[in-house]
Amino acid sequence: MTALAEAAAGERRGPLQILLVEDDDGDALLATERLQGIGSVEVTLAVVTTLAAALARLDGEHFDAVVLDPNLPDSTGLDTLHEIRRRDARVPIVVLTGMESREFHAAAIGAGAEDSIAKDEPQASLLARSVLYAIERRRAISRSREAESLIAASPDAIMVVDTDGVVQFVNDAAVELFGRARDELLGDDVMFSVEPGAVTSLEIVHQHRERRAEMRVVDIDWLGRPACLAVIRDTTEQERITAQLRHAQKMDAIGRLAGGVAHDFNNQLTVILACAEMALEDDAHDIRDLLTDITTAAGQAARTTSQLLAFSRNAPQHVTAVDLNEVLEQAGRLVTRVLGEDIELELDLDEQLDPVLADRGNVEQVVMNLAINARDAMPSGGNLLFASRRVDVVEGDQHASEGMLPGTYMCLIVSDTGDGMSLEVQQQIFEPFFTTKEVGRGTGLGLATVYGIVSQSGGWITVDSAPGQGATFRVFLPAAPVEELRRLEAARRPPRGARGGGTVLIVEDEEPVRRIATSILERSGYTVIGAGSGDRALELLDLHRIDVVLTDLVMPDMYGDDLVHIMRARGLRLPVVYMSGYPMGSRDLTPVPSEMPFLDKPFTAAELIGVVEAAMSAAGLRPPDGMSGS
């Protein structure tokens, strides 16, 4: 069987059905013999002698081809061909006629015949081949039209680009996406890089609106030459809906978070308010004890804020050199009080650890959160391990494959023999508000807070677990560079000179905060001038000799950094200390230079005095000898 015959028969998977329309018995017999000679392809032939009979057969049956003598008893010439074509627009037609006119053959093909053959010509013997070609050609045209209709109907933009980067084809969706006429796109250089096998994000400006799209590219043959097919999906609406969903989820999370935070703050404020009222109204109480309770509750409130900010990865970092072994030893002493008698704690510490750069309180919080989770995973008791290890990560090892950069890390390990976790749970445990605990026993913030702290500290956290096999958390923190340790050591040295002896301008719109800061600095020997707004501060700068400006960053009339810009424009080069209840680096603050002194609220008296002294020392100011603060 020839390749052509195989193709013609293959798609049908059965005999070729051919309708022979011929009124001359001798010609019909000869045509039948020639049509039966299609190699091993089985042919089923139906013979009719009139146009009416042919139309009736076409109405009720499917034929792969029609062999037509146009001169019939009930129709002649091209009219016969037109009627057949009107009845079935797709069936291939081969005209077999006694007419030898070249003009007629051309007209027949123009009227829709695939071929036209004279009965008495030598090529009449090639009738079978002509029929096969007609069938395959018609099928190819049909496939092409189907492909074109599918491409045209595709909601994705489709573009063919040749190896020179010239656009050869675009569908309707591409015309709409790029906002250009088809004729403008065809033959033009492609406007972006087309890399086969790549998935690329595109930004397209259309009618002054930016649209986002994703492009996938594959190699193809286009009209016998290599080319690239680019399928471009408009993702603008999808990304908008995704952003809306994320916003809705975020607002829902904030609502749940606000409830928990309000609960904690209400407890702490209850203590503060009650103790303050008792101190004011009842002289019989021990004022020192009441003030101690107030201080304790305020400290708890500050720690609640710190935990919340750590969860959001905006917590202010007080970075120092931290010994993980010391943290684990101290945490071990604390955690034994909450573990219960049926859980045994074991320490396995590597004595060769180097310090890491981190906030010690945050690292302690990580250990305590992991320990509490381990306790809850062992309701019937078990073993809890605190361990440390020095880990050298090199390219190609397991840790590097998890995204860790090569280098030396100090590893903090918390391992339990509890219930363990499935792989599905492990993939969600660091998500905010995800918890496997019973209602009322977990907020879902513990491990999310741990993840935020570890990430903020430049580290990695991994978990190994299986149901019934316990869980092991490993926290990797980079070893502290030697030069950074030296810098921190130098920064810990107290500034030269005695306390006090300068004039500080405090710019703070909250009067209670301004009043307590004034009291602290005056007790330490400073002269303090207060301003409740940026405008008032500028007036006071014209009236007084000021040594240091301590300004809030967020105020109703003027931000603190705006105040400093105006001061600098006026030629005032005074040292400035910023303070805020928002942590440095928060999106709620205008970015300020990292080298500028910054005081977090709430602050202690020692922190306030220390940052003012450091600012004066850095500016070369020295207080008079002999003065000291309380």
Side-chain angles (χ1 to χ4, degrees):
M1 185 187 299
T2 66
L4 182 61
E6 290 177 353
E11 290 194 15
R12 182 170 177 80
R13 293 187 179 180
L16 289 178
Q17 304 289 335
I18 298 177
L19 177 63
L20 174 61
V21 187
E22 174 61 71
D23 64 326
D24 184 279
D25 292 340
D27 290 341
L29 180 60
L30 182 60
T32 299
E33 292 176 354
R34 289 170 175 171
L35 289 173
Q36 294 292 353
I38 311 180
S40 59
V41 177
E42 185 179 354
V43 175
T44 299
L45 194 65
V47 182
V48 296
T49 60
T50 64
L51 174 62
L55 296 178
R57 297 295 294 265
L58 287 172
D59 280 342
E61 301 175 56
H62 167 80
F63 289 96
D64 295 296
V66 173
V67 176
L68 174 67
D69 182 348
N71 295 314
L72 300 171
D74 54 349
S75 178
T76 60
L78 294 179
D79 290 341
T80 308
L81 178 59
H82 287 312
E83 288 298 324
I84 296 288
R85 180 55 69 213
R86 273 196 293 268
R87 185 58 54 93
D88 192 331
R90 295 185 178 183
V91 65
I93 301 174
V94 174
V95 172
L96 184 64
T97 178
M99 302 177 63
E100 299 183 4
S101 168
R102 293 185 177 180
E103 289 78 8
F104 177 82
H105 292 312
I109 293 174
E114 267 62 44
D115 202 357
S116 181
I117 302 174
K119 292 181 179 180
D120 57 352
E121 292 181 356
Q123 59 261 41
S125 62
L126 300 178
L127 177 61
R129 180 177 294 275
S130 180
V131 169
L132 290 178
Y133 272 120
I135 293 172
E136 184 58 25
R137 183 163 56 250
R138 178 63 64 170
R139 287 176 177 174
I141 292 173
S142 177
R143 287 193 298 266
S144 176
R145 288 175 177 173
E146 289 174 357
E148 288 179 4
S149 64
L150 288 174
I151 291 174
S154 172
D156 295 334
I158 296 178
M159 177 179 292
V160 175
V161 181
D162 66 18
T163 54
D164 295 325
V166 178
V167 178
Q168 299 295 322
F169 171 85
V170 290
N171 68 345
D172 293 343
V175 171
E176 192 279 330
L177 177 64
F178 293 105
R180 297 174 60 190
R182 191 183 309 274
D183 291 343
E184 293 179 7
L185 290 170
L186 294 177
D188 194 8
D189 290 337
V190 69
M191 60 288 292
F192 38 77
S193 176
V194 178
E195 296 291 337
V199 179
T200 309
S201 295
L202 302 178
E203 293 183 2
I204 302 167
V205 178
H206 178 202
Q207 296 180 349
H208 306 292
R209 290 191 312 159
E210 182 181 280
R211 303 173 73 173
R212 299 187 63 83
E214 181 183 84
M215 179 177 68
R216 298 175 182 270
V217 181
V218 296
D219 286 321
I220 63 168
D221 286 330
W222 181 258
L223 301 179
R225 302 181 64 183
C228 290
L229 175 71
V231 179
I232 307 168
R233 174 162 296 179
D234 188 341
T235 59
T236 307
E237 183 65 13
Q238 176 184 342
E239 292 187 15
R240 184 186 67 81
I241 293 174
T242 300
Q244 288 181 340
L245 176 60
R246 287 176 179 170
H247 179 71
Q249 292 172 334
K250 178 180 178 182
M251 296 306 296
D252 179 63
I254 289 174
R256 285 184 284 170
L257 183 60
V261 172
H263 173 270
D264 290 344
F265 269 106
N266 284 337
N267 286 339
Q268 293 145 8
L269 290 173
T270 297
V271 175
I272 293 172
L273 291 174
C275 291
E277 287 177 353
M278 292 173 65
L280 290 171
E281 297 175 2
D282 193 344
D283 295 335
H285 281 84
D286 187 337
I287 300 299
R288 178 175 293 276
D289 289 343
L290 294 175
L291 293 177
T292 299
D293 290 341
I294 290 174
T295 302
T296 300
Q300 292 172 346
R303 284 191 290 275
T304 299
T305 303
S306 296
Q307 184 174 3
L308 181 61
L309 292 173
F311 160 68
S312 67
R313 298 184 66 181
N314 281 325
Q317 290 264 42
H318 300 286
V319 176
T320 59
V322 178
D323 184 337
L324 294 185
N325 284 346
E326 289 184 1
V327 171
L328 289 172
E329 288 174 345
Q330 293 186 10
R333 288 192 289 269
L334 292 174
V335 78
T336 51
R337 302 175 184 176
V338 297
L339 289 180
E341 297 180 356
D342 53 355
I343 295 179
E344 181 178 349
L345 175 66
E346 178 185 355
L347 291 177
D348 181 10
L349 306 181
D350 186 344
E351 298 300 330
Q352 304 301 317
L353 291 190
D354 292 335
V356 299
L357 295 180
D359 182 303
R360 185 185 182 92
N362 283 350
V363 177
E364 292 171 348
Q365 185 179 355
V366 167
V367 176
M368 293 302 294
N369 280 358
L370 293 177
I372 296 302
N373 274 325
R375 179 202 64 184
D376 294 342
M378 297 184 288
S380 301
N383 297 318
L384 177 63
L385 171 68
F386 283 178
S388 62
R389 294 290 185 270
R390 180 189 185 94
V391 178
D392 292 316
V393 175
V394 297
E395 291 187 7
D397 70 8
Q398 175 185 355
H399 299 307
S401 66
E402 294 172 352
M404 293 176 59
L405 300 176
T408 300
Y409 294 84
M410 304 303 115
C411 181
L412 180 156
I413 303 169
V414 177
S415 182
D416 66 69
T417 58
D419 297 333
M421 294 172 283
S422 66
L423 181 60
E424 181 181 2
V425 171
Q426 293 178 53
Q427 292 172 343
Q428 301 179 73
I429 55 174
F430 297 118
E431 296 178 4
F433 308 108
F434 174 80
T435 179
T436 59
K437 299 177 183 178
E438 299 174 2
V439 176
R441 292 196 60 197
T443 63
L445 286 178
L447 288 177
T449 299
V450 167
Y451 184 84
I453 291 174
V454 173
S455 298
Q456 190 180 25
S457 302
W460 282 262
I461 182 169
T462 64
V463 57
D464 293 321
S465 184
Q469 302 297 318
T472 299
F473 288 86
R474 293 180 175 86
V475 175
F476 298 87
L477 296 174
V482 175
E483 57 273 16
E484 187 64 18
L485 292 175
R486 291 172 179 169
R487 188 191 68 79
L488 289 173
E489 179 63 28
R492 281 198 295 268
R493 299 190 188 111
R496 297 178 181 177
R499 289 181 175 180
T503 300
V504 180
L505 173 62
I506 298 180
V507 189
E508 169 62 65
D509 61 300
E510 292 287 342
E511 194 275 335
V513 177
R514 189 171 69 249
R515 185 170 63 244
I516 192 63
T518 297
S519 177
I520 292 172
L521 290 173
E522 286 181 342
R523 286 189 178 190
S524 193
Y526 289 94
T527 299
V528 181
I529 301 173
S533 68
D535 290 333
R536 179 56 179 163
L538 292 172
E539 294 175 2
L540 293 173
L541 284 167
D542 291 335
L543 298 175
H544 301 275
R545 180 184 179 279
I546 305 297
D547 295 306
V548 178
V549 176
L550 174 65
T551 180
D552 192 20
L553 265 173
V554 180
M555 296 181 291
D557 69 322
M558 183 186 301
Y559 274 29
D561 59 318
D562 294 329
L563 169 63
V564 173
H565 288 321
I566 296 173
M567 288 170 47
R568 299 295 187 244
R570 293 183 179 183
L572 298 175
R573 302 297 175 185
L574 304 176
V576 175
V577 176
Y578 289 123
M579 61 179 173
S580 180
Y582 295 107
M584 178 67 80
S586 168
R587 61 186 176 187
D588 298 291
L589 292 184
T590 302
V592 295
S594 58
E595 67 273 8
M596 293 291 289
F598 188 84
L599 181 64
D600 294 307
K601 297 177 184 176
F603 51 77
T604 65
E607 290 170 341
L608 172 58
I609 294 168
V611 73
V612 171
E613 287 182 351
M616 293 189 68
S617 176
L621 303 175
R622 294 291 181 267
D625 293 338
M627 292 197 67
S628 63
S630 57

